[in-house]
Structure formats: structure tokens, C-alpha cells
Amino acid sequence: MAQTGRQRILVLGGGFAGMFAAGELQRRLGTSADIELINEVNYFVFQPLLPEVAAAAISTRDAVAPLRQLLPGVKVRQAQIFDVDLDRRIVTIFQGVQRRYTEVAYDHLVIALGQSVDLSGFPGLADHALTIKTLSDAHKLRNHVIDRLEHADITALPEVKKELLTFTIVGGGFSGVETAGEMRDLITKSLKYYSNIDASEVRILVIEFADRILAELAPSLGEYARTFFERQGIEVMLETGVKEATGTQIETTKGDVIGTRTIVATIGNAPSALVQKMDLPQAHGRIKTDRKMRVENSANVWALGDAALIPLRDDPTERHHWAPPTAQFAVREARTLAQNIEAVFDGREPEDFVYQSKGAMASLGAGRGVAEVYGIRLSGRKAWLLWRMYYLSFVPGFATKIRIAANWILDAVLGRSIVQTGSGSPIGTRYVHYRKGDRIFETGNRADGFYIVVKGAVELTIPGRDGHEDSVQEIGAKGHFGDRVLLGEGLRTGTVRALEATEILVVGAEDFKRIVAAMPVLDDYFDQYFASVYHQSKPGVQI
Amino acid sequence: MAQTGRQRILVLGGGFAGMFAAGELQRRLGTSADIELINEVNYFVFQPLLPEVAAAAISTRDAVAPLRQLLPGVKVRQAQIFDVDLDRRIVTIFQGVQRRYTEVAYDHLVIALGQSVDLSGFPGLADHALTIKTLSDAHKLRNHVIDRLEHADITALPEVKKELLTFTIVGGGFSGVETAGEMRDLITKSLKYYSNIDASEVRILVIEFADRILAELAPSLGEYARTFFERQGIEVMLETGVKEATGTQIETTKGDVIGTRTIVATIGNAPSALVQKMDLPQAHGRIKTDRKMRVENSANVWALGDAALIPLRDDPTERHHWAPPTAQFAVREARTLAQNIEAVFDGREPEDFVYQSKGAMASLGAGRGVAEVYGIRLSGRKAWLLWRMYYLSFVPGFATKIRIAANWILDAVLGRSIVQTGSGSPIGTRYVHYRKGDRIFETGNRADGFYIVVKGAVELTIPGRDGHEDSVQEIGAKGHFGDRVLLGEGLRTGTVRALEATEILVVGAEDFKRIVAAMPVLDDYFDQYFASVYHQSKPGVQI
């Protein structure tokens, strides 16, 4: 039956799948339907370039394009999606500064929410690993690496310097390999400004659980990449997983303990929180659709991209019987999906999604790459040039193409910018994981926060004054330490070590002082605490 | 007496004064002395371009240059300066991730710490105004303005839309005027992407306490700027100060209350915290030096730039008898200071600092400016071109010059990028100021934090269910509300209004839940609190 009246098509998510779907829908149905896209940020991220942003080859804002510029005619709403009510055909969102609750109605819903990262299976990894999924991840990683170089250049402690100059990438897929290569470029090009760091002190590691890297490509290309990496000084550890991670170490499944203050995790894909709470049929963490990308048992709900499990044949059993979660497929899916919704509007039958991959490629940094296109394998500089040309042609938006090309030219001509634009002091709360024996802080460190033991136990040693013995105290779960931060003291007067694997909640000093000063229950508690433990009264907390 | 041995010269601060001083010192004394510069960030900020960063005309990293690249040979240390011990000739710093306490010795100390901002004289202004002193300020301002446009485009509330589209700049000096002009450019060039915003709805205001803007330039140029602004739709309110500010309003000294969700403060210069705690002779918030830039009564401590009060004649009495806090003077001061330290090393007498301003200029946005150079006055496009050329020639570092020029060209050719790269949910704690009668939150808003009353009083109204009367409750200082955030509820169930001028400490929801879950004293307190107030038990806090 042909639809009548102005239909509302709502696309959730502005990645490759959502952005291209909204654009195709606008092109085909813009005159007869209202197309709206809701996304948490107001820009489309060109994911394959994030490692280059992390390596400062491209400036933060240039790897992305504003959704409004890319999608003329489409209503773009920057908001946080709270829930989907499939019965009432309503999406509830929070928008604006006040995070006002708002309902958005739809006739057809297109789910393109991608995937998120879940590292909870690896103790300490979620607390300490950087990821490279969003623009802000890439920005943070760049600042993190430059910060490590700044610190390594001035530290007087050889062990700390070694940890600072060891960079670990977990996962040897496209994202991990490209991140390792780009990180090496950034460090190599920056070292001339750090006169106290010798190139031989830098260690870059890729840890991969499988027996090869770049498993999506032909074995010969994976082998080329591995050999090239080793020649460039990037170590590849195969058949190795992560057992535990802290702020200064990573322990592998093989039992090696590696001192490192940079861990980048490119593993652990998981459904987004919103998809998890939707009442839709799922498998392998993705929403099950039919071959037409309609969600099973729904007439007006569609899904595509990484969030969707789209069968490529009627009785899928093997992994390759479903569409893989790649940008290449997402863009093709978007086209078919728009055709299918148009078909429904016209009363025609939607069609199955059919597509065969044209190939894949990866940049290895240092102007080298690997590629497999229409069955032809390339490696080295040719593959790298192909990679750049392909992605430049693929980037949506003319202005963004020019900006990226300009970035590449300036980078080649002027060299890397080692500006660290990140923020300084930690604020808010964060969880920190320690292995048995780890030093949490020691006498003379700056008192930067208040520490609460969530799990495990620590030992606090306060040096005795005037010939008295050291005071040693064990603090278990629910206990706290570092409370002298409330006195406004600048330096730690004791040393704390983890007695077992321990999880700590750290509250930023300024935040904690403000809360204690404002809440009588805490102010009273610490008055008593200081009287009984230190035999001194706590002064009124100064903010 | 001529110095022997390798001297250590330590420069504190990497702005115009510190960066140029370190460079000059290295050039003159690099072979015989160790020059070291300590700064909180690893880059030099080209301050005059910050309004352009805020307006997205230049990307964040391109208005700055890495100190290490600009100062070959100088030891650059990125660290937080804690204190200066003038007797022991030692500067104490915190460096690295652990913020390790480190001592750095010096023979000569050069203080170039600039000035910071103090808005504490204006109730609410420090809580709610954005500033434009640092790179991160400019980055935040850009994201803030784009966020206001995004929100204004989708809100259904006319009053909120009006507040969102009113942009207020406090202060009509160089910084305020250039920020207003650039902000107008950004908004004008972006509006085509926001189909629900009409240009007539946008209001940009400059509030200036004096009876004219750009008081540093000739009256005719100030008048030109004001007339040009009014033609461009930028309102200028003269002889007007700030009485009080909140997140949605500003009250002027004339009694006007303006609804605005963007306040940029360019007023309130104050000495930096470190200068304040140093035991050095000060006046007008600056360190008193002699005409040779030596700090009074110190043989080996020097000061220059905005942090220093440098007399231009022997008996200074009027304001213009001291060197003004401008980049132009700072650069000249740096040169004389390096000569003077060299003179001390060679056993010669240092010289007085002598310099006469060559003039000043300001950009007004939209390709117009005002300038006064060697007594000649210019306005309009010629002044603007001169402004651009002068600053481009003034930017230190070849790579940075090219990057800025490339930014300007791309901006002219491709238009503005409205990418909002800022972060989303608030974390940590923040103070919020409300005027009497202000709504703090209302039923249906998202529960984004826990609220503690620091000063003042609020009224909480919870709508009665099933025909019951509304419950109304007054909460005074030290009281709290918004505690249902602990239940993990997504939406507010009551409305809170300020009964008087009120200061609130807001703790981010996620941070607060983590702290309560980890600290038994708070967990117990809220168990009892929920039992007595809501007659229901608090569930175990979920994180």
C-alpha cells in the first residue's frame, strides 16, 4: 500500500552508516518526507583518519566535517539519545545545556548507532587504556604521547623514563596497526626537540592475540607489515593477550610484565549502551535484521552499519555470511536502505542487500602501506599512496577534502607540531588499578587527590620523626588515605603500596575539598577522623 | 666583577616576555651559560590571535608554537611551578604524571609570569563567564558558541532561544573588541547551517565601564569602531558595569537585566597566584623593578612583561611613566634584559629600559580594523590588512607563520568550520550562582548532578500525586537536593527555585555516585536520609 502524507524518518547516529543513509534518504525522499538525524556530536568523524589525528599529522577539527554542512535539507539534532519507545514510535532525548527531556516522533526509524568499546574483561585495562574510537580519543592520545615525551625529557629516574618511552598497542587489526605506525612517525619526527631522549630508548609494541596481524588481509600482506614494523623498531608480539594492566605496567597472558605508561586498546567491540537496552532481537552484540535491513518482526524499524547483523544469504552460518562492520559496507548498506524505504513508500517490495568487498588497505606509517584491491596485492609506497588517494576521495565534503590535503602538505613541508593542547590537573573522579607491590604514591609527591580503596588492600608507611619508628598501617576496602589533602598540604608525607591487586577511586583534590567543605556530614566525619588518627584537629577546609 | 664558571639562568613563564627573553639570552650567552625555561604548557601562545581561534578562523593548535621548536639550545621544562626560594636560589616545581616535587637551582632568575584573571569582585561572574587568556579558553569559547547555536536551532522554548542567541562581552578594550568582532563573524558565517535561526534573533553586546571603547587608541578610532559595530549589529553599552551574573542572565550597574547564556569577561587582570605568594616588592599587582628590570633589592632576580612594573623614568607618578603590559613592550624588554644580564656577566653596568610605543591596532571583524602607527591613524580595510600583516610578521616560528597563513586562506575560500570538538557531560564539581527567583531545575530535566547549597536558600516543590497537595520545602545553606540522582533516576521529579541570591556546588552525577558507593560514611548517611525524607530505603548505589 502506498503511503500518504508527510512521513517522518528518523536516523539515529551520524557515523558512516547514519550519515550516508540520511543523505540518500534526503536525496530520494526529501520532497515528500522529513528526514531527521540525531547524533551526540555535531560532526561526522572520518574514522580511518583518527590515527593521523593522534599522530598530529592532521589537526583535530580537520578529520571531521559538520553534519549540517554535509546534509543540507536534513534536520540535524545534536542531543543525547535516552531511549526508544517502539510501541509509541517515539525516541526520547536530552538536549541543550539543561539536558531537557524531549520526545521525537517517527514513522520509520533507522538505527545506525555503531559499536562502543568494552574492556571490562581485562582487569585494569578499562581504567588505564586509551582508545581510538572518537575524535576526542584521538585528541587525548596525541596529548598523552607528547606529555610522555615532555616528561621523559626531564625525569631523573631511569626506570620512570623507560616506562614513559614504552608505548603499547593492544590489537593488531587495521586500527591497531595504523595507530602503531602513526605513533612511530609522531615520535620519530618529534625526537629532535627532546635532546635528552635517544631514539634507541623508545619502544613501541603491538600485542595481538591471533598468530598474525591484519587478519583481514592476505597472509603475505600481514607478513609484509610485520617485517616492515620490525625493521622500523616496532615489536610485534603474536599469540599474546592482556592479563592485567595498571598505570605503569601491562602483564601479558604469556606472563611477561612490561613497564609502560601508554596503552592503546583497539580491541573489545561491544554494542552501544542504547542498543543494549533496546528490546530488539540481537545476536553477537548486533541487531538482527532480515536481508532487506529491516529489524526482525518490525515493519518500520531498520538497522545498518556496525550496529546491525545483516545476512548476505538466506541461511547464514559462517562469519562471512553476514556483512562485515566496515565503512565500505556501511556506505553501500545506506544506499540500499534508502532505496528500500522508498520502495515501501511507493508500495513496492524492498530488495536484499547485496555487495562484495572491493578490498582493503592499511597504512603502516613512514609512507608505507599494504593493500588488496580487486584481488591485487600491493605493498610499500604504492599501497600507501593508494591509501591516501582512496581515503581522500572517500572523505565526504569538499571543504574537508581540501583541509585534509592542506594538512598533509603542511605536514610534509613543515614537520610535526608537538603542541600539547590537553588539560592539566585531573578533575572529577577516576578508578586506578594497581598490581601487588605497586607504589601508589610516596613521600614528596604532590598531594593531588583523595584515595578510597574500592577493592584490595594497601599499606601506608609514614616515616617516624626524631628517631621514632616508622608507622605502618594496612588499609582495606572502604578505607581511605591521602586525606591530608584536606589540610591543603602540598606534599605527601607517607608512602603507600598495594598489598594485592587493588582498585582505588581517586577524587581530585580541589573537587574533594569543595565537597567536604559544603557537606556537614563529611566535615564532621573528618573532624573526628583527624582527632582520632592524627591527634590533631582538622582546620576549617580552605577552598 | 666578571662572573666565572657556567651560570644557570632560569626563566619562569613562556609568554611573549619569557619566550623572547630566553631566546635573546641563548643567543647572547648560550655558549657560557645554561638557559632554562619553565612553563606550564609546552607551547608559546600568540595571544593576539586567540579571538580568531575562538571564532574558528584558525584551528586550535595553529595559533601556538612549541617552545622547543622556537628555542633551540634552551632547556624547556613543562612543569607546574610551586614556589621560589630566593634565599636558597631554588625554584620548586611539580613535574610529570605523578607531579613529582623537584628543585631547580639558578644563579639568575627571570620572572615573566604574566597576569591572570580575577573576577571575584563581581558576584557570579567567576562562576559563569568565559575568559580568553589561554589557548584552552579560546577553544572552550568556540565550542560554547557553537553549542549555543546547536541548541537554539532545536529548542521549542522562545525565552530560552533568546537567551541562547544573546552573546555578551564584558570589557571594550582590545581583547573585548576583537572577541566581539570575531564572534560576530563566526555566527554570521555559520547561520546558513541553522535553518531555524534568523539573523535578526542574534544579539551581540559589548559592556564597557568607561565612556568609550578602545581607550588606548585615539578617540576618533574608538568612535569609528563603535559606529562600525552598531552598523554590524553589535550593541555597545558604555559607562556600564557588571553587578551580578548567572548562567542565564547578567545584571548591569544601570539596573538592566539581560537574558544571556554567553558571557565573555575580558576584564579583571590580577597577578598570578605564584607572584602573589612570592616575597617580592609589589605595587598595582605587579613586581616592582628598577629601570634596569632588576627586582628591587635583588642582585640576581629580574622581572619583565605583564608581571613587572618597570619605570620608564626616575620618578614615575603617572600611569604612562611605567611600561604598559603589551606584547610590543614585552619583546623590547626581553632584548634589554638579556643585554643587561650579559653586562653583569661581563662586569659592565646594565642599562635602563627605554622604548616608545610604535602604535597600536585592533581588528573589528568582517575585514575591518583600526590602527594608529607612528601617529598616523587608519581605519577600515587598510587597517585590517595592516593588522594581519603585522601580526603574521610578528608570529615567531616559520612553520607557525605558514600554518596561520594557510588557515586564513582556507577560511576565506572554504568558509568556517562549525565542528564542536568540546566534551559533553559535566564532570567534577562546579559552583553555580543564581539570582532570587531563578529556576535551578524543574520536573522532567535530566538528573545530571547532586546539588549542595553553599550560600543562600532554595525552595523545592514536588508535585503531589493522585490529587495530593504539592510538597514545598525550603533548603538553606549546607542543605542539599537532587539526591535522587543516587537512585539512578533519569529525570527530575521536582522543581527548585532560588529564594535569594544563592551559590550552589554541583557535583557531577557519575562522580557523586562513585564517591557515595566507596565511602561508608556517605552511604550510611544517605540510607538514613532516604528513610527519613522519602520513607523509602536507598538501594545500593549502582555505578
Side-chain angles (χ1 to χ4, degrees), chain A residues 326-533:
Chain A
T326 66
Q328 197 185 148
F329 271 80
V331 171
R332 284 309 183 114
E333 288 160 21
R335 198 175 300 173
T336 306
L337 187 134
Q339 282 167 2
N340 284 354
I341 292 183
E342 188 182 28
V344 171
F345 281 16
D346 295 346
R348 287 180 286 109
E349 192 58 32
E351 284 179 17
D352 289 351
F353 171 68
V354 182
Y355 182 65
Q356 187 119 43
S357 170
K358 300 287 173 282
M361 37 193 158
S363 155
L364 303 175
R368 297 292 184 283
V370 285
E372 198 173 353
V373 188
Y374 296 109
I376 299 164
R377 289 174 202 156
L378 287 172
S379 58
R381 185 162 289 275
K382 268 179 298 183
W384 180 79
L385 284 172
L386 188 69
W387 183 93
R388 280 214 159 171
M389 285 190 303
Y390 174 70
Y391 278 119
L392 200 59
S393 73
F394 200 28
V395 171
F398 177 71
T400 309
K401 274 188 222 294
I402 301 291
R403 283 185 196 279
I404 289 172
N407 269 276
W408 280 340
I409 292 165
L410 291 179
D411 181 54
V413 175
L414 303 173
R416 256 345 117 89
S417 163
I418 53 165
V419 166
Q420 195 209 7
T421 52
S423 64
S425 295
I427 55 160
T429 62
R430 63 191 192 282
Y431 289 107
V432 186
H433 184 84
Y434 296 95
R435 297 175 70 233
K436 183 179 173 175
D438 281 355
R439 191 195 62 218
I440 297 172
F441 60 65
E442 64 185 8
T443 306
N445 283 167
R446 179 169 186 216
D448 63 341
F450 175 77
Y451 290 64
I452 312 168
V453 181
V454 175
K455 218 169 62 187
V458 304
E459 186 182 75
L460 165 66
T461 308
I462 297 176
R465 287 183 214 177
D466 314 320
H468 285 76
E469 274 190 21
D470 291 359
S471 129
V472 180
Q473 188 195 344
E474 186 177 327
I475 300 167
K478 304 277 178 186
H480 53 77
F481 55 96
D483 26 64
R484 287 198 165 220
V485 77
L486 290 174
L487 301 175
E489 285 180 8
L491 303 181
R492 298 293 185 195
T493 52
T495 295
V496 181
R497 285 181 181 279
L499 292 171
E500 53 191 89
T502 296
E503 193 84 14
I504 301 279
L505 179 69
V506 183
V507 186
E510 213 50 38
D511 288 314
F512 194 68
K513 283 197 280 186
R514 289 171 163 195
I515 296 170
V516 172
M519 285 195 82
V521 55
L522 283 178
D523 204 30
D524 292 349
Y525 170 79
F526 282 105
D527 269 342
Q528 287 171 29
Y529 182 82
F530 274 73
S532 73
V533 176

Side-chain angles (χ1 to χ4, degrees), chain B residues 136-244:
Chain B
S136 128
D137 288 346
H139 185 74
K140 240 185 255 168
L141 179 53
R142 185 188 84 188
N143 285 325
H144 178 96
V145 171
I146 295 169
D147 190 64
R148 292 309 175 266
L149 297 179
E150 290 287 337
H151 188 187
D153 193 69
I154 55 176
T155 185
L157 309 168
E159 193 54 38
V160 170
K161 190 176 186 187
K162 207 174 153 189
E163 290 165 5
L164 289 165
L165 293 176
T166 302
F167 302 87
T168 311
I169 292 101
V170 180
F174 285 114
S175 175
V177 163
E178 295 192 343
T179 302
E182 287 295 333
M183 202 179 278
R184 192 196 154 278
D185 278 8
L186 168 62
I187 294 168
T188 311
K189 292 187 178 181
S190 305
L191 279 190
K192 63 180 165 195
Y193 304 117
Y194 298 92
S195 51
N196 296 324
I197 303 176
D198 189 80
S200 66
E201 295 176 284
V202 176
R203 193 178 173 201
I204 302 177
L205 278 174
V206 177
I207 296 178
E208 166 58 46
F209 196 73
D211 61 358
R212 46 169 301 206
I213 58 172
L214 293 175
E216 297 88 343
L217 292 176
S220 65
L221 293 176
E223 188 52 29
Y224 173 90
R226 202 187 57 76
T227 316
F228 177 75
F229 269 11
E230 307 245 300
R231 240 181 17 240
Q232 297 278 315
I234 301 175
E235 296 168 54
V236 178
M237 301 174 89
L238 297 173
E239 299 179 298
T240 307
V242 175
K243 203 176 144 200
E244 191 174 356

Side-chain angles (χ1 to χ4, degrees), chain A residues 56 61 78 150 420 429 511, chain B residues 42 56 61 78 420 429 511:
Chain A
R61 69 164 188 191
Q78 179 183 17
E150 290 286 339
Q420 195 209 7
T429 62
D511 288 314
Chain B
N42 83 344
R61 71 165 187 190
Q78 180 183 19
Q420 196 209 7
T429 61
D511 287 313

Side-chain angles (χ1 to χ4, degrees), chain A residues 112 206 285 294 534:
Chain A
V206 177
R294 227 192 292 231
Y534 299 115

